Amino acid sequence: MPASLPVLRWLPQIKVNAPPSSATLVGQLSKLSTVSTWHQTYKQPAVGAAFLDNYGYTELLGLTGPGPQPNIWPVGSCCWVPSTTYPRHRHEAEEIYVPLSGTAAWQHGNQGWLDESPGTVIHHASNEPHAMRTGVQPLLALYCGEAIISARSRAWIDSRQRTH
């Protein structure tokens, strides 16, 4: 049975905010949300109840996605409501986020906060401290882990890092 989280109450607003470039994908992910299992990585003692009410993710591919696939890192979508901070953290896995609807500020390493719009590719290197905070709009983003990043994507990420 699919799990529902409080953050999903924002899906109608996320669909309204989606730019034309991602509106179709946001609409499809919104439809899937009713049959998807939504998760939270954290527990209440670590982040508090308010954060848990305002955050969630679902896997499209990976260990907890439909038809579990243990040999690849997860690919899915994640959602945060307005005025939510995803706390600074680090982990071994590289990851990529692509915002689909809503603008958020992202922090990489020791750099300051940088607002990123839908369609921007956001890369976090292995063990790089990073954080995210939403503004006045909810955020829906795609994410993926390092095991499915191709050599072509790696070259693109490296070239983008040199320009930021």
Side-chain angles (χ1 to χ4, degrees), residues 67-99:
Q69 300 178 23
N71 297 323
I72 65 168
W73 281 85
V75 175
S77 62
C78 45
C79 185
W80 291 274
V81 308
S83 303
T84 299
T85 298
Y86 189 24
R88 188 170 171 83
H89 63 286
R90 68 172 72 207
H91 39 73
E92 185 177 348
E94 258 184 276
E95 62 188 0
I96 292 176
Y97 287 93
V98 179

Side-chain angles (χ1 to χ4, degrees), residues 108 111 114 121 123 128 151-164:
H108 310 274
Q111 298 176 355
L114 181 63
V121 177
H123 172 249
E128 176 184 39
R152 181 176 175 198
S153 295
R154 164 61 48 219
W156 185 87
I157 290 165
D158 291 343
S159 70
R160 185 173 188 280
Q161 288 179 328
R162 288 190 293 271
T163 62
H164 272 76

Side-chain angles (χ1 to χ4, degrees), residues 29-118:
L29 290 172
S30 182
K31 284 181 189 175
L32 280 174
S33 72
T34 62
V35 295
S36 300
T37 301
W38 284 77
H39 308 276
Q40 294 175 322
T41 306
Y42 305 100
K43 302 294 180 206
Q44 186 171 339
V47 295
F51 181 78
L52 294 180
D53 284 345
N54 297 316
Y55 146 81
Y57 73 92
T58 187
E59 282 187 8
L60 303 172
L61 296 171
L63 285 175
T64 63
Q69 300 178 23
N71 297 323
I72 65 168
W73 281 85
V75 175
S77 62
C78 45
C79 185
W80 291 274
V81 308
S83 303
T84 299
T85 298
Y86 189 24
R88 188 170 171 83
H89 63 286
R90 68 172 72 207
H91 39 73
E92 185 177 348
E94 258 184 276
E95 62 188 0
I96 292 176
Y97 287 93
V98 179
L100 300 175
S101 180
T103 298
W106 299 76
Q107 188 180 51
H108 310 274
N110 295 323
Q111 298 176 355
W113 292 95
L114 181 63
D115 286 340
E116 300 285 13
S117 301

